[in-house]
Amino acid sequence: MSDLDEFKATYFDECSELLLELEEQFMAIQDGDRDADRLNAVFRAIHSIKGGGGAFGFDALVRFAHSFETLLDYVRDGRVELTEEVVVLCIRSVDLVADFVNAARTGEVLPAEYGATEKASFDALARGEAAETGGDAPGATDDLDEEFDIDFTPVSVDLDTDTPLSAAAPSAGGATRWLIDFAPYPTLYERANDPLLLFRELALLGRTTVTAKLEALPDLAGFDPFGVYCSWSIELASDKASEDAIREVFEFVDGDCAIAVTRLEALVEDEPASGDDLPSFAELAEAAKAERKFVPTGEPDAEPAVRIAPAISLAASAPAPGAAAESAGAAPRDAEDGTGAGKVPGMQSIRVDLDKVDRVVNMVGELVITQSMLTQQMDDAIRDRYQELVRGIEVLAQTTRGLQDAVMAIRAQPVKSVFSRLPRLVRELAGKTGKKIRLETIGENTEIDKTVIEQLSDPLTHMVRNSADHGIETSEERLARGKPETGTIRLSAEQAGGNILIVVEDDGQGIDRDRVLDLARERGVVGPDQQLTDEQIDNLIFAPGFSTASEVSDISGRGVGMDVVLSNIKKIGGSVHVRSWTGKGTRMTLRLPLTLAVLDVMLVRVAGSPYVVPLSSIVETIQNSRADFGHMPSGGKVLQVRGEYVQVVDLARRFELGSEQDDADRFVVLCEAEGNSKIALVVDDIIGQQQVVIKSLEENFERIDGIAGGTILGDGNVALIVDVQSLKTSNAHQNAA
Amino acid sequence: MRAAQRGFRDMEALEIRDEYGDGTAGVSQNTLQLIAFSIDEQIYGVEITTVREIRAWNGATPLPNTREYVRGVINLRGTIVPIFDLRARFGDGQTQPTKNHVVVVMSVGDKWIGILVDAVSDILTVSRDDIHNVPEGNSIDTELLNGIVTHESRMVGLIDLHAVVAGAKPDA
């Protein structure tokens, strides 16, 4: 029983991955990329979901996936044209498959007619096409009828759908011959490039025949040992190489050689299988057997072997169509292995339980602390006396740092895992609001620590929702304003120093500042006489309980949402910033730390206790005696720095701790909070800089205003992390210094 | 059939345990084991199963903007644990801790906390039947104590840990 559960868990894991891939592939297909590889990939993914589902008896899922798969199959061999409508239907169907999978996971029972419309569309599309081909190829109709009438049993139907395609699909692409003329310049060798490596690279694309051209070789008298006399012509036979792919091989030596790529005629063609003339199984098997003879044995990497591998395995395991059904369980798997040969062999990965990784991360954190504690213990006397020990500790420090980086890299994940949930959201929103919306994603391979990623999903969802609901206008409005009918939401991620920037940008109407300000005044968020800059008004949308939707909509605008974004992002040490251009669009920028686990900080002392301030927020430090303070009527102080007046917060007073330090000996730490606003913190002493591991206070206690968390110093004591942003925004009279 | 066998084996196990009859086996539903500690001359107790560790006072990092009975936080093998000053919690002013003062680390719900006391005195085994209600009168007493139990004719107050932890921030 537990074994079965384990298999199920693995299956669902795989399903989520496959669904992700489906989503990705279809997005590319929708963008006009009709590469045969993509179709093969989606087919494989659906097929795997179906296969596993059948094994566990998820009938609803299997029935739906089967119809879907059949359609894809027909699309793949060209019997159904991949029109825009078909793509849209497919994308919606991926969502439905996800729902079916989810229902299977939770044990929820979906209504019987769930997905029935789509299923009917598949069948209609497939049948419509079948009727046409039926005229010229009666045999084909039988084949199709069989498929649609059959009450589904996973095994027997499987092979039906698999066979024509495994044999037909590769031939559709066909192997192409390319002629590459390659003449290196002397500079190529001067830069220590080796043509041999390039040829090897080319050989990965297909079968190559390399001929050296030695015509230019002079006689011995005229021979310059450093001269370049040799050029090559390479013939490449490949079904997957494009001119771009070939040129990419030579990208490295661009400008250091003369290169010409010419396409020769297609190599092998006309196997019996083709779109409008469906062959029988026997013919296929024969064809496959016949081709097998030409496969050079012992050369699994060679192009022809890859190309007909599916057919071979089929022929081997299915000598006759009648017997095929029994061995179907094995056949598709082989076929998959064959077509999956495009995978890079070097990419190996293992699944590891996250808990295990977290445990390692924690222990490495402790190790870092212990190591820095050891380092702190070393005084000059020890250094002089135990040189070997000191050297050992220095090496240990390096290794520890390396180990820490390596461990963090394990936990880093591409933001893709969050981004990939959004296309569906946008589709649904577009459907509900009747708007036309396109989602573009950029930089989805940017990696962030898993702990950050986890916190990112909700805020991003809210932001995209907000853009779709409030930002993008209806088609009519857009047309009236001379904008393209379809609105665009662009989602991008990039690394900038120690931060990750995630930008959600739309080309909608922008923030209605008058409305925002009116509402803010109405709700007391902003005082009646307070004057705000445009930027400040824009950022009001993150104020708690704020919503500007004229009517509360089903999607966003319940007055919760954007403030959730802010609080979630702040919790993980990030910041949110919004800019808006009236009529042109809105851009929301999330700035996130690369990892939550380590932080570069400045260690300071306040009333005898250690505090740390994140280095990323510090602008500069000034001695109190040199700082230019001004006094305010409230008794508070402001700091004048480069013509700017900055609010001063005395941490000892703010934290209600007595400081005995003489004012003149204290320090001002000038910090930058969100949106370029500054705050000057007065501390008793500055101790130094270091890296710390962030520990939660909330784990065993609760959140404290002005404190972002704790950390453990080298001496084993706890230091508190100052939350610059919350000091800036917390009540002004509390801060009065 | 199998169930009967298992029941039989359990009974055997019980008998074996009783053979050791050193008193600990007697800790059953009706008795309670307490860690007893003192503040001034008064003895208090907490159930032994909640106690994780007892350690000497070694200072704590103060937490800003908390009530005076929150003495700060300590590092317990990489985890940050808050320390509550039980004397201050009772309203008798902050303890002036020395190296001889003791922190009792225990789990309350899913959190770990430490309480600062003068000394740990004993492990007591008491009967649940002997637990008396706290006399009505002072709200601090009824709030912080679950009950009172008599041990060797001395009064032991049973600390309600949840109450000790609650309301640590001035605005809470």
Side-chain angles (χ1 to χ4, degrees):
Chain A
M1 183 59 201
S2 69
D3 268 0
L4 188 60
D5 284 348
E6 216 170 276
F7 287 135
K8 268 191 192 170
T10 312
Y11 167 68
F12 286 129
D13 275 358
E14 274 171 15
C15 277
S16 351
E17 276 166 26
L18 291 167
L19 285 165
L20 269 185
E21 170 161 6
L22 278 170
E23 182 88 47
E24 243 171 63
Q25 299 289 7
F26 273 121
M27 286 295 123
I29 291 172
Q30 196 178 29
D31 289 344
D33 184 350
R34 300 283 153 91
D35 191 4
D37 279 354
R38 294 205 183 276
L39 282 173
N40 288 337
V42 294
F43 184 87
R44 275 201 304 275
I46 285 288
H47 182 76
S48 304
I49 292 175
K50 186 186 82 169
F56 294 112
F58 301 138
D59 290 340
L61 167 63
V62 168
R63 268 195 296 275
F64 187 81
H66 176 64
S67 290
F68 194 2
E69 186 187 352
T70 310
L71 174 70
L72 287 173
D73 180 21
Y74 287 6
V75 167
R76 202 162 61 156
D77 58 16
R79 269 182 279 172
V80 173
E81 199 195 340
L82 193 55
T83 58
E84 194 62 29
E85 292 87 77
V86 176
V87 174
V88 170
L89 174 69
C90 287
I91 292 175
R92 195 167 61 238
S93 304
V94 172
D95 293 347
L96 289 174
V97 172
D99 290 341
F100 276 117
V101 169
N102 207 31
R105 179 180 3 225
T106 56
E108 179 196 346
V109 180
L110 291 170
E113 71 277 13
Y114 198 78
T117 347
E118 282 75 13
K119 193 169 181 298
S121 312
F122 298 147
D123 297 352
L125 270 167
R127 240 194 314 272
E129 208 46 43
E132 268 181 41
T133 45
D136 7 338
T141 338
D142 291 345
D143 192 35
L144 292 176
D145 282 346
E146 190 192 347
E147 262 189 33
F148 286 103
D149 293 343
I150 217 159
D151 193 13
F152 183 72
T153 42
V155 255
S156 63
V157 187
D158 244 350
L159 200 75
D160 281 359
T161 54
D162 236 17
T163 313
L165 95 238
S166 355
S171 78
T176 314
R177 276 198 308 154
W178 300 85
L179 184 67
I180 301 141
D181 283 308
F182 170 64
Y185 303 146
T187 49
L188 183 132
Y189 296 101
E190 282 162 18
R191 286 175 225 254
N193 285 305
D194 185 347
L196 183 60
L197 297 177
L198 297 169
F199 301 156
R200 279 190 191 146
E201 188 83 5
L202 264 185
L204 292 179
L205 291 173
R207 196 179 40 194
T208 56
T209 317
V210 181
T211 322
K213 289 190 278 192
L214 302 171
E215 297 86 10
L217 204 63
D219 57 19
L220 200 55
F223 189 83
D224 169 8
F226 292 101
V228 175
Y229 304 108
C230 189
S231 61
W232 289 268
S233 79
I234 307 126
E235 212 178 287
L236 169 72
S238 166
D239 61 347
K240 56 183 172 183
S242 62
E243 181 164 345
D244 283 346
I246 295 169
R247 289 206 178 265
E248 210 177 298
V249 171
F250 293 96
E251 199 177 13
F252 222 61
V253 292
D254 193 29
D256 292 334
C257 64
I259 181 132
V261 179
T262 358
R263 187 190 167 122
L264 303 175
E265 86 288 1
L267 181 63
V268 196
E269 270 320 316
D270 301 319
E271 286 155 89
S274 76
D276 37 29
D277 180 21
L278 281 174
S280 71
F281 275 118
E283 276 171 351
L284 268 174
E286 278 309 310
K289 269 185 200 155
E291 268 209 46
R292 185 154 56 149
K293 290 180 197 145
F294 301 118
V295 180
T297 44
E299 272 184 65
D301 286 338
E303 174 274 326
V306 172
R307 197 165 56 80
I308 46 168
I312 295 168
S313 60
L314 225 137
S317 61
E326 283 84 7
S327 54
R333 186 133 306 274
D334 291 350
E336 267 169 42
D337 291 345
T339 42
K343 282 187 186 163
V344 187
M347 285 283 279
Q348 286 182 351
S349 61
I350 51 165
R351 276 171 206 268
V352 181
D353 194 349
L354 251 173
D355 281 350
K356 289 185 189 165
V357 178
D358 286 348
R359 229 177 297 154
V360 176
V361 170
N362 278 335
M363 276 192 292
V364 170
E366 299 307 315
L367 184 64
V368 170
I369 291 166
T370 315
Q371 177 269 317
S372 71
M373 187 181 80
L374 280 177
T375 312
Q376 276 183 14
Q377 300 290 318
M378 286 192 300
D379 54 21
D380 288 344
I382 292 180
R383 274 176 204 283
D384 289 344
R385 227 177 125 188
Y386 305 103
Q387 286 178 3
E388 281 303 309
L389 177 71
V390 171
R391 201 170 306 150
I393 289 179
E394 275 162 7
V395 174
L396 179 68
Q398 254 177 16
T399 317
T400 315
R401 182 60 68 94
L403 181 62
Q404 194 177 23
D405 288 349
V407 166
M408 296 322 291
I410 291 178
R411 235 176 29 172
Q413 273 193 322
V415 284
K416 198 194 274 176
S417 57
V418 185
F419 278 15
S420 59
R421 296 177 206 162
L422 298 168
R424 176 172 186 181
L425 176 76
V426 170
R427 277 199 299 280
E428 285 176 358
L429 291 175
K432 273 188 193 162
T433 55
K435 297 173 182 175
K436 293 204 166 160
I437 310 174
R438 229 178 93 81
L439 182 74
E440 276 179 26
T441 50
I442 299 165
E444 50 194 8
N445 286 324
T446 311
E447 290 195 329
I448 318 183
D449 192 83
K450 201 201 119 282
T451 44
V452 182
I453 294 242
E454 279 169 356
Q455 303 291 328
L456 203 55
S457 178
D458 278 1
L460 265 187
T461 308
H462 280 300
M463 287 161 80
V464 169
R465 242 182 213 174
N466 198 69
S467 284
D469 203 26
H470 300 317
I472 305 281
E473 312 93 327
T474 59
S475 301
E476 300 83 60
E477 279 173 321
R478 290 184 66 87
L479 288 172
R481 287 179 193 180
K483 292 182 178 181
E485 189 185 359
T486 305
T488 306
I489 298 176
R490 181 180 307 179
L491 199 58
S492 70
E494 61 170 322
Q495 186 176 344
N499 289 300
I500 294 285
L501 295 185
I502 293 189
V503 180
V504 179
E505 208 172 354
D506 67 62
D507 63 350
Q509 56 197 351
I511 292 175
D512 186 346
R513 297 208 177 92
D514 293 339
R515 271 192 57 77
V516 168
L517 194 57
D518 284 351
L519 266 168
R521 292 230 159 93
E522 206 175 284
R523 293 177 190 183
V525 181
V526 177
D529 303 322
Q530 218 171 328
Q531 290 305 313
L532 296 177
T533 62
D534 284 356
E535 207 178 316
Q536 282 170 318
I537 297 174
D538 289 349
N539 283 289
L540 279 178
I541 62 167
F542 295 112
F546 199 88
S547 174
T548 56
S550 326
E551 59 214 78
V552 171
S553 70
D554 175 29
I555 300 154
S556 56
R558 278 172 300 245
V560 291
M562 295 315 270
D563 60 317
V564 171
V565 170
L566 185 62
S567 63
N568 277 18
I569 295 300
K570 265 167 73 174
K571 214 185 326 175
I572 53 173
S575 64
V576 192
H577 187 70
V578 60
R579 278 213 67 183
S580 168
W581 294 268
T582 310
K584 287 193 182 144
T586 307
R587 179 199 295 156
M588 288 182 269
T589 308
L590 291 183
R591 185 181 285 270
L592 301 165
L594 260 184
T595 165
L596 296 185
V598 265
L599 190 67
D600 279 303
V601 295
M602 179 178 277
L603 185 58
V604 301
R605 197 190 317 278
V606 178
S609 300
Y611 283 81
V612 299
V613 184
L615 217 50
S616 57
S617 58
I618 296 180
V619 180
E620 63 177 304
T621 56
I622 313 164
Q623 263 182 351
N624 231 11
S625 51
R626 298 184 181 195
D628 190 358
F629 288 116
H631 290 268
M632 300 299 280
S634 67
K637 279 200 252 182
V638 289
L639 174 72
Q640 191 187 349
V641 55
R642 288 186 290 276
E644 209 178 328
Y645 289 97
V646 179
Q647 176 195 10
V648 175
V649 175
D650 184 333
L651 280 187
R653 261 180 250 184
R654 175 65 172 73
F655 290 156
E656 293 167 8
L657 305 162
S659 165
E660 277 131 40
Q661 193 93 1
D662 188 10
D663 252 4
D665 293 338
R666 302 172 81 200
F667 289 86
V668 179
V669 180
L670 186 62
C671 298
E672 195 174 61
E674 222 160 81
N676 295 332
S677 65
K678 294 195 177 64
I679 182 169
L681 307 177
V682 179
V683 302
D684 291 354
D685 201 2
I686 290 174
I687 301 167
Q689 289 181 10
Q690 71 180 90
Q691 265 206 332
V692 296
V693 178
I694 302 171
K695 301 276 175 175
S696 155
L697 272 186
E698 283 141 85
E699 185 185 340
N700 288 317
F701 195 56
E702 46 197 300
R703 198 181 147 68
I704 296 173
D705 190 38
I707 301 294
T711 183
I712 292 158
L713 299 177
D715 59 7
N717 282 329
V718 178
L720 302 177
I721 302 169
V722 176
D723 185 347
V724 175
Q725 185 61 36
S726 90
L727 285 176
K728 173 77 195 167
T729 47
S730 62
N731 227 330
H733 76 260
Q734 265 183 298
N735 284 339
Chain B
M1 169 66 184
R2 193 179 284 172
Q5 263 179 355
R6 226 178 48 208
F8 181 63
R9 208 175 300 143
D10 284 351
M11 265 167 61
E12 274 182 332
L14 272 176
E15 274 164 23
I16 289 167
R17 229 174 87 185
D18 269 359
E19 276 172 31
Y20 289 98
D22 58 1
T24 52
V27 183
S28 61
Q29 305 90 336
N30 210 31
T31 53
L32 202 57
Q33 274 198 308
L34 302 175
I35 291 272
F37 47 80
S38 59
I39 289 169
D40 296 328
E41 293 306 306
Q42 179 56 50
I43 297 178
Y44 299 94
V46 290
E47 206 175 330
I48 199 165
T49 52
T50 64
V51 176
R52 296 282 161 257
E53 184 165 337
I54 296 168
R55 47 197 287 143
W57 170 259
N58 194 19
T61 303
L63 288 175
N65 306 104
T66 47
R67 296 206 185 263
E68 62 162 357
Y69 59 78
V70 181
R71 286 307 288 252
V73 283
I74 61 163
N75 161 26
L76 187 75
R77 289 184 299 279
T79 309
I80 294 181
V81 174
I83 305 297
F84 295 82
D85 183 339
L86 204 54
R87 177 181 280 107
R89 185 71 182 92
F90 292 156
D92 296 334
Q94 281 201 339
T95 306
Q96 301 301 318
T98 66
K99 287 264 174 203
N100 297 328
H101 281 76
V102 173
V103 171
V104 183
V105 179
M106 44 196 128
S107 53
V108 183
D110 57 354
K111 299 192 170 187
W112 283 34
I113 62 153
I115 58 175
L116 173 64
V117 299
D118 289 355
V120 169
S121 50
D122 208 352
I123 297 174
L124 312 176
T125 305
V126 297
S127 163
R128 282 185 197 273
D129 299 335
D130 294 342
I131 298 175
H132 305 273
N133 285 336
V134 182
E136 297 285 333
N138 192 321
S139 64
I140 291 186
D141 300 341
T142 46
E143 185 193 330
L144 295 177
L145 296 184
N146 270 335
I148 296 173
V149 72
T150 313
H151 183 78
E152 289 170 0
S153 72
R154 293 193 62 178
M155 181 191 115
V156 178
L158 300 178
I159 302 288
D160 182 345
L161 291 172
H162 288 278
V164 168
V165 176
K169 283 206 288 189
D171 54 344

